[in-house]
Amino acid sequence: QGEGCRTVPLSGHVGFDSLPDQLVNKSVNHGFCFNILCVGETGLGKSTLMDTLFNTKFEGDPASHSQPGVQLKSSTYDLQESNVNLKLTIVSTVGFGDQINKEDSYKPIVEFIDAQFEAYLQEELKIKRVLHNYHDTRIHACLYFIAPTGHSLKSLDLVTMKKLDSKVNIIPIIAKSDAISKSELTKFKIKITSELVSNGVQIYQFPTDDESVAEINGTMNAHLPFAVIGSTEEMKIGNKMMKARQYPWGTVQVENEAHCDFVKLREMLIRVNMEDLREQTHTRHYELYRRCKLEEMGFKDTDPDSKPFSLQETYEAKRNEFLGELQKKEEAMRQMFVQRVKEKEAELKEAEKELHEKFDRLKKLHQDEKKKLEDKKKSLDDEVNAFKQRKTAAELLQSQAQQAGGSQTLKRDKERK
Amino acid sequence: PHAGPVESKNEAAMSELVPEPRQKPVVPMKPMGINTSLLGYIGIDTIIEQMRKKTMKTGFDFNVMVVGQSGLGKSTLVNTLFKSQVSRKSSGWNREEKIPKTVEIKAIVHVIEEGGVKMKLTVIDTPGFGDQINNENCWEPIEKYINEQYEKFLKEEVNIARKKRIPDTRVHCCLYFISPTGHSLRPLDLEFMKHLSKVVNIIPVIAKADTMTLEEKTEFKQRVRKELEVNGIEFYPQKEFDEDLEDKTENDKIRQESMPFAVVGSDKEYQVNGKRVLGRKTPWGIIEVENLNHCEFALLRDFVIRTHLQDLKEVTHNIHYETYRAKRLNGNGGLPPMTVETEENHESNL
């Protein structure tokens, strides 16, 4: 309430008490989304726990231990219960804790979380934006899986959680807790909590400001980290089918609160605080990211006049930058085009030259051949001429000889006479 | 639905942003309440309760503006709508005060509570509208006020360190009062609605409808609807913002049959048939405000408050505000440079 705002009594039923219903109906029509990030070493049962929590068999093959680096695998599912449509995204680390050198293991996780914030921020900064239809991918809850060693947190755990605590709601859980006995578990939980406190790791606290949930949330806060077991296999226990893990020495029931904290986790994560997790992500973690990012870009909340204008200036600058880049790209493309044309031209010229050369060669060859043939013809003609001459000469000689012979015979005849 | 296992791995190492949502056929959940065993029930539907609790805690803002010539019963109607003395006239202002020379904008803020729901209601009155001899551009101060509220919100939104809940003073609903002449809309009505329907949700209302008979009322409404259509005036609920078929059918009926609502306002109660009802007493009978046979006040009330209140706010936020913001960030887009008015225009009941 602002100053000077007075409360007036109503003299009858107005009807705006239906407002929460109107709002809820709109949200239901719109659908909800919830994004969980599971961080933990390979083999700690992350996928199984998700299957157990949401009562489904989500897709995926178990990961190997030989991943070269830490990666994040993300899948989105549409779940429906009563009239509520939930778009659930589960992101899991792959290969976390498997490397020999784990110094940079936390980095891909932090980068992923930041990337989702960045995507939202970009959408929010757009001039023409569609925020109410935006598929929110920001991580609402981070389940950090602690290995059930029974001793203390690993240094990797501390380092990673410290890097994540200002970016996401961390809910630490002890995985595969059927490996620890009850008494060890209590000591383990105390050790973990004290280590988190002494290292200044801020984990998510279930909210205690609303009286209706203050009590249960307060109690649950004291049970952190939750010791969970996951199982999708159902066994007949008594006369009911229950999710359980069967050992030779007994059966561990997942939903038995005396056996593990699975029910508490489900209660807290989904049935009581899902909305608060979403709200904290948006109003605290995202705002922090946005503030840091904008300050990084050089903005300050100096005087009230400067903001829309300075942001407008940025938009101007961004737009000019963008146009400039476009122009540069266009120029580069034009250059490349010209270059390509030149190259093609050169190629074609080369080809042309070659063709010409070939043509010349062939022509020369042809001429040579022709000359040869002509020479041959000439020699042949010469031979023919020579032959003809000889023939004529021979004929002449023959006729001469005949004449001489005739004259000779005449002469002989004369002599006889 | 896919036949085999859905390939949905999405390696997100360095630069992967938004994962592609895949439709995965999921084991159907057992609906709540039918199966008592824990098996099958996750509890996702509890988010409805969680959300409801959260909104009840934070409370709601609602800002309604009334526009129309003086004497059309605007203040009375607002008081009747919210069953309390929320209008400017009831907040200690002299009824005999002079009609202002220009259009003034006066906002009164009240907090009302019902059923655990707290609402901060702001009623914005516009005395002087349409009352001058020359009424040219008398809508400009109103348009300016509306844009100023968008500007205020925008300024808060672009802050580096933002408030958790940005105070919302944007006008969610503008009730425009049409004089019950029985003939047609006045040029001023058309001009105002043409200009303002692009920046705010306008709900046209036929004031003092007790001066028309049923036939006259029906004819007048038809003529008004026709004129609005011919002039391209999109009043709330706007056709282009219908979200789905259900919305469209529901809203079509309202647009084409009920609106504009012909209303009568009153804050006096009379005894009718043993009941206390709000009404107007005349020599020829008592006009019962909430009787649907007498006037359409109840329709207006249900429409604005009981069914479309949240939608009015959402259309204002998701569409009108976004339009303003886009224009503003695109280099002033024709808007005059803003000088944000401070709190001087917000009257308070001291």
mmCIF file of all heavy atoms in Angstrom, chain A residues 232-253:
data_model
loop_
_atom_site.group_PDB
_atom_site.id
_atom_site.type_symbol
_atom_site.label_atom_id
_atom_site.label_comp_id
_atom_site.label_asym_id
_atom_site.label_seq_id
_atom_site.Cartn_x
_atom_site.Cartn_y
_atom_site.Cartn_z
ATOM 1 N N THR A 232 12.597 -48.040 -9.734
ATOM 2 C CA THR A 232 11.349 -48.100 -10.482
ATOM 3 C C THR A 232 10.784 -49.511 -10.465
ATOM 4 O O THR A 232 9.709 -49.757 -10.978
ATOM 5 C CB THR A 232 11.566 -47.678 -11.941
ATOM 6 O OG1 THR A 232 12.742 -48.326 -12.412
ATOM 7 C CG2 THR A 232 11.741 -46.181 -12.024
ATOM 8 N N GLU A 233 11.470 -50.422 -9.816
ATOM 9 C CA GLU A 233 10.957 -51.786 -9.770
ATOM 10 C C GLU A 233 9.973 -51.928 -8.639
ATOM 11 O O GLU A 233 10.203 -51.433 -7.527
ATOM 12 C CB GLU A 233 12.112 -52.761 -9.564
ATOM 13 C CG GLU A 233 12.824 -53.031 -10.870
ATOM 14 C CD GLU A 233 14.173 -53.679 -10.636
ATOM 15 O OE1 GLU A 233 14.333 -54.346 -9.601
ATOM 16 O OE2 GLU A 233 15.056 -53.487 -11.470
ATOM 17 N N GLU A 234 8.878 -52.564 -8.926
ATOM 18 C CA GLU A 234 7.853 -52.716 -7.907
ATOM 19 C C GLU A 234 7.839 -54.129 -7.366
ATOM 20 O O GLU A 234 7.945 -55.094 -8.104
ATOM 21 C CB GLU A 234 6.486 -52.366 -8.490
ATOM 22 C CG GLU A 234 6.356 -50.870 -8.755
ATOM 23 C CD GLU A 234 4.981 -50.483 -9.243
ATOM 24 O OE1 GLU A 234 4.117 -51.377 -9.351
ATOM 25 O OE2 GLU A 234 4.788 -49.296 -9.516
ATOM 26 N N MET A 235 7.713 -54.203 -6.055
ATOM 27 C CA MET A 235 7.631 -55.527 -5.415
ATOM 28 C C MET A 235 6.356 -55.594 -4.604
ATOM 29 O O MET A 235 5.848 -54.566 -4.158
ATOM 30 C CB MET A 235 8.794 -55.720 -4.438
ATOM 31 C CG MET A 235 10.066 -55.095 -4.900
ATOM 32 S SD MET A 235 11.288 -56.293 -5.166
ATOM 33 C CE MET A 235 12.148 -55.580 -6.517
ATOM 34 N N LYS A 236 5.888 -56.803 -4.407
ATOM 35 C CA LYS A 236 4.679 -56.968 -3.609
ATOM 36 C C LYS A 236 5.108 -57.026 -2.158
ATOM 37 O O LYS A 236 5.838 -57.919 -1.722
ATOM 38 C CB LYS A 236 3.956 -58.248 -4.008
ATOM 39 C CG LYS A 236 2.522 -58.246 -3.500
ATOM 40 C CD LYS A 236 1.751 -59.407 -4.093
ATOM 41 C CE LYS A 236 0.412 -59.540 -3.424
ATOM 42 N NZ LYS A 236 -0.663 -59.010 -4.229
ATOM 43 N N ILE A 237 4.660 -56.041 -1.391
ATOM 44 C CA ILE A 237 4.991 -56.019 0.037
ATOM 45 C C ILE A 237 3.683 -55.991 0.793
ATOM 46 O O ILE A 237 2.897 -55.050 0.668
ATOM 47 C CB ILE A 237 5.848 -54.779 0.372
ATOM 48 C CG1 ILE A 237 7.151 -54.858 -0.408
ATOM 49 C CG2 ILE A 237 6.104 -54.708 1.881
ATOM 50 C CD1 ILE A 237 8.082 -53.715 -0.208
ATOM 51 N N GLY A 238 3.451 -57.016 1.566
ATOM 52 C CA GLY A 238 2.150 -57.140 2.215
ATOM 53 C C GLY A 238 1.133 -57.434 1.128
ATOM 54 O O GLY A 238 1.248 -58.411 0.393
ATOM 55 N N ASN A 239 0.162 -56.564 0.966
ATOM 56 C CA ASN A 239 -0.792 -56.776 -0.129
ATOM 57 C C ASN A 239 -0.777 -55.615 -1.115
ATOM 58 O O ASN A 239 -1.710 -55.403 -1.868
ATOM 59 C CB ASN A 239 -2.203 -56.969 0.443
ATOM 60 C CG ASN A 239 -2.588 -55.766 1.304
ATOM 61 O OD1 ASN A 239 -1.756 -54.917 1.611
ATOM 62 N ND2 ASN A 239 -3.841 -55.716 1.716
ATOM 63 N N LYS A 240 0.301 -54.801 -1.099
ATOM 64 C CA LYS A 240 0.400 -53.677 -2.025
ATOM 65 C C LYS A 240 1.654 -53.806 -2.855
ATOM 66 O O LYS A 240 2.638 -54.437 -2.441
ATOM 67 C CB LYS A 240 0.452 -52.361 -1.251
ATOM 68 C CG LYS A 240 -0.897 -51.949 -0.647
ATOM 69 C CD LYS A 240 -0.991 -50.458 -0.449
ATOM 70 C CE LYS A 240 -0.155 -50.009 0.735
ATOM 71 N NZ LYS A 240 -0.346 -48.581 1.010
ATOM 72 N N MET A 241 1.597 -53.166 -4.024
ATOM 73 C CA MET A 241 2.781 -53.106 -4.869
ATOM 74 C C MET A 241 3.533 -51.830 -4.498
ATOM 75 O O MET A 241 2.954 -50.749 -4.478
ATOM 76 C CB MET A 241 2.379 -53.052 -6.346
ATOM 77 C CG MET A 241 1.735 -54.316 -6.854
ATOM 78 S SD MET A 241 2.833 -55.734 -6.705
ATOM 79 C CE MET A 241 3.958 -55.444 -8.075
ATOM 80 N N MET A 242 4.814 -51.968 -4.236
ATOM 81 C CA MET A 242 5.582 -50.777 -3.846
ATOM 82 C C MET A 242 6.893 -50.737 -4.581
ATOM 83 O O MET A 242 7.449 -51.779 -4.951
ATOM 84 C CB MET A 242 5.899 -50.838 -2.359
ATOM 85 C CG MET A 242 4.731 -50.644 -1.467
ATOM 86 S SD MET A 242 5.383 -50.272 0.154
ATOM 87 C CE MET A 242 3.880 -50.231 1.054
ATOM 88 N N LYS A 243 7.396 -49.521 -4.724
ATOM 89 C CA LYS A 243 8.718 -49.386 -5.324
ATOM 90 C C LYS A 243 9.746 -49.792 -4.267
ATOM 91 O O LYS A 243 9.717 -49.281 -3.151
ATOM 92 C CB LYS A 243 8.944 -47.949 -5.752
ATOM 93 C CG LYS A 243 8.089 -47.541 -6.951
ATOM 94 C CD LYS A 243 8.536 -46.204 -7.508
ATOM 95 C CE LYS A 243 7.793 -45.077 -6.846
ATOM 96 N NZ LYS A 243 6.766 -44.506 -7.716
ATOM 97 N N ALA A 244 10.639 -50.674 -4.647
ATOM 98 C CA ALA A 244 11.581 -51.154 -3.637
ATOM 99 C C ALA A 244 12.826 -51.730 -4.281
ATOM 100 O O ALA A 244 12.891 -51.933 -5.491
ATOM 101 C CB ALA A 244 10.902 -52.220 -2.777
ATOM 102 N N ARG A 245 13.834 -51.968 -3.424
ATOM 103 C CA ARG A 245 15.051 -52.643 -3.861
ATOM 104 C C ARG A 245 15.214 -53.880 -2.986
ATOM 105 O O ARG A 245 15.216 -53.774 -1.755
ATOM 106 C CB ARG A 245 16.258 -51.731 -3.674
ATOM 107 C CG ARG A 245 16.357 -50.640 -4.717
ATOM 108 C CD ARG A 245 17.519 -49.715 -4.424
ATOM 109 N NE ARG A 245 18.815 -50.377 -4.511
ATOM 110 C CZ ARG A 245 19.424 -50.677 -5.657
ATOM 111 N NH1 ARG A 245 18.857 -50.404 -6.802
ATOM 112 N NH2 ARG A 245 20.605 -51.271 -5.647
ATOM 113 N N GLN A 246 15.366 -55.008 -3.640
ATOM 114 C CA GLN A 246 15.400 -56.251 -2.877
ATOM 115 C C GLN A 246 16.826 -56.733 -2.697
ATOM 116 O O GLN A 246 17.586 -56.868 -3.646
ATOM 117 C CB GLN A 246 14.590 -57.321 -3.600
ATOM 118 C CG GLN A 246 14.250 -58.485 -2.701
ATOM 119 C CD GLN A 246 13.136 -59.303 -3.306
ATOM 120 O OE1 GLN A 246 13.242 -59.760 -4.441
ATOM 121 N NE2 GLN A 246 12.055 -59.462 -2.570
ATOM 122 N N TYR A 247 17.180 -56.973 -1.451
ATOM 123 C CA TYR A 247 18.484 -57.526 -1.100
ATOM 124 C C TYR A 247 18.265 -58.858 -0.415
ATOM 125 O O TYR A 247 17.163 -59.123 0.071
ATOM 126 C CB TYR A 247 19.214 -56.574 -0.143
ATOM 127 C CG TYR A 247 19.642 -55.265 -0.769
ATOM 128 C CD1 TYR A 247 18.969 -54.084 -0.474
ATOM 129 C CD2 TYR A 247 20.733 -55.209 -1.651
ATOM 130 C CE1 TYR A 247 19.361 -52.888 -1.026
ATOM 131 C CE2 TYR A 247 21.126 -54.016 -2.205
ATOM 132 C CZ TYR A 247 20.440 -52.860 -1.892
ATOM 133 O OH TYR A 247 20.825 -51.683 -2.439
ATOM 134 N N PRO A 248 19.326 -59.668 -0.320
ATOM 135 C CA PRO A 248 19.139 -60.948 0.402
ATOM 136 C C PRO A 248 18.737 -60.726 1.854
ATOM 137 O O PRO A 248 18.040 -61.537 2.447
ATOM 138 C CB PRO A 248 20.515 -61.614 0.316
ATOM 139 C CG PRO A 248 21.163 -61.005 -0.877
ATOM 140 C CD PRO A 248 20.642 -59.598 -0.961
ATOM 141 N N TRP A 249 19.192 -59.608 2.431
ATOM 142 C CA TRP A 249 18.938 -59.393 3.839
ATOM 143 C C TRP A 249 17.684 -58.575 4.101
ATOM 144 O O TRP A 249 17.365 -58.255 5.238
ATOM 145 C CB TRP A 249 20.140 -58.682 4.501
ATOM 146 C CG TRP A 249 20.628 -57.500 3.718
ATOM 147 C CD1 TRP A 249 20.201 -56.222 3.815
ATOM 148 C CD2 TRP A 249 21.636 -57.512 2.702
ATOM 149 N NE1 TRP A 249 20.886 -55.426 2.945
ATOM 150 C CE2 TRP A 249 21.777 -56.183 2.232
ATOM 151 C CE3 TRP A 249 22.447 -58.512 2.149
ATOM 152 C CZ2 TRP A 249 22.685 -55.836 1.237
ATOM 153 C CZ3 TRP A 249 23.343 -58.157 1.151
ATOM 154 C CH2 TRP A 249 23.465 -56.840 0.695
ATOM 155 N N GLY A 250 16.963 -58.237 3.048
ATOM 156 C CA GLY A 250 15.750 -57.444 3.283
ATOM 157 C C GLY A 250 15.394 -56.606 2.070
ATOM 158 O O GLY A 250 16.114 -56.573 1.069
ATOM 159 N N THR A 251 14.268 -55.920 2.155
ATOM 160 C CA THR A 251 13.825 -55.091 1.042
ATOM 161 C C THR A 251 13.733 -53.648 1.491
ATOM 162 O O THR A 251 13.102 -53.340 2.514
ATOM 163 C CB THR A 251 12.442 -55.561 0.553
ATOM 164 O OG1 THR A 251 12.489 -56.970 0.350
ATOM 165 C CG2 THR A 251 12.064 -54.874 -0.742
ATOM 166 N N VAL A 252 14.368 -52.762 0.740
ATOM 167 C CA VAL A 252 14.320 -51.334 1.044
ATOM 168 C C VAL A 252 13.136 -50.734 0.297
ATOM 169 O O VAL A 252 13.033 -50.859 -0.918
ATOM 170 C CB VAL A 252 15.614 -50.638 0.584
ATOM 171 C CG1 VAL A 252 15.577 -49.171 0.947
ATOM 172 C CG2 VAL A 252 16.817 -51.316 1.199
ATOM 173 N N GLN A 253 12.208 -50.118 1.023
ATOM 174 C CA GLN A 253 11.057 -49.506 0.368
ATOM 175 C C GLN A 253 11.327 -48.028 0.139
ATOM 176 O O GLN A 253 11.640 -47.278 1.069
ATOM 177 C CB GLN A 253 9.807 -49.660 1.233
ATOM 178 C CG GLN A 253 9.367 -51.091 1.415
ATOM 179 C CD GLN A 253 8.598 -51.265 2.711
ATOM 180 O OE1 GLN A 253 7.894 -50.351 3.129
ATOM 181 N NE2 GLN A 253 8.753 -52.407 3.344
#
